[in-house]
Amino acid sequence: IITLLALLSDSTFAASLPVVETSVQDGNVVLSLTNNEAVNLNCHYSVSWFVNTLNFRKEFGNISLAANSASAVSFKNDIYDHITHVRTKVTCE
């Protein structure tokens, strides 16, 4: 069991992760990724949220981050929408 845990922990930290920030600006959900490492990253993201409590939205895609760079993706909503329960998942290779 200890060997298995060691393998799992090694694989968990094998890939570098960017700094991930999700915010709501002027009604839009904005996902920002910053790669502070000296390696390029290929990332897959999934962002979900509720609009006006009853409508569920989910967006997903891929972002390639060059070494020491940043990127952002914005998902448009109406400026008067009430955005809640924003969830973000990012995995990178």
Side-chain angles (χ1 to χ4, degrees):
I1 295 176
I2 294 172
T3 304
L4 179 60
L5 291 175
L7 289 174
L8 288 176
S9 64
D10 287 344
S11 64
T12 301
F13 296 107
S16 298
L17 293 177
V19 176
V20 177
E21 295 180 22
T22 308
S23 61
V24 177
Q25 301 172 3
D26 297 326
N28 297 322
V29 176
V30 179
L31 170 64
S32 301
L33 302 171
T34 304
N35 181 5
N36 294 323
E37 301 295 323
V39 296
N40 296 337
L41 296 175
N42 293 313
C43 300
H44 177 76
Y45 65 85
S46 172
V47 182
S48 62
W49 64 95
F50 282 92
V51 178
N52 300 327
T53 309
L54 299 175
N55 297 315
F56 180 77
R57 290 208 41 206
K58 185 172 186 174
E59 299 284 342
F60 55 91
N62 296 305
I63 294 179
S64 294
L65 286 172
N68 298 310
S69 69
S71 184
V73 180
S74 179
F75 309 105
K76 187 154 179 64
N77 292 280
D78 190 285
I79 195 166
Y80 300 109
D81 285 342
H82 179 67
I83 308 293
T84 59
H85 295 87
V86 179
R87 304 276 191 255
T88 303
K89 180 179 177 184
V90 175
T91 56
C92 299
E93 301 175 336

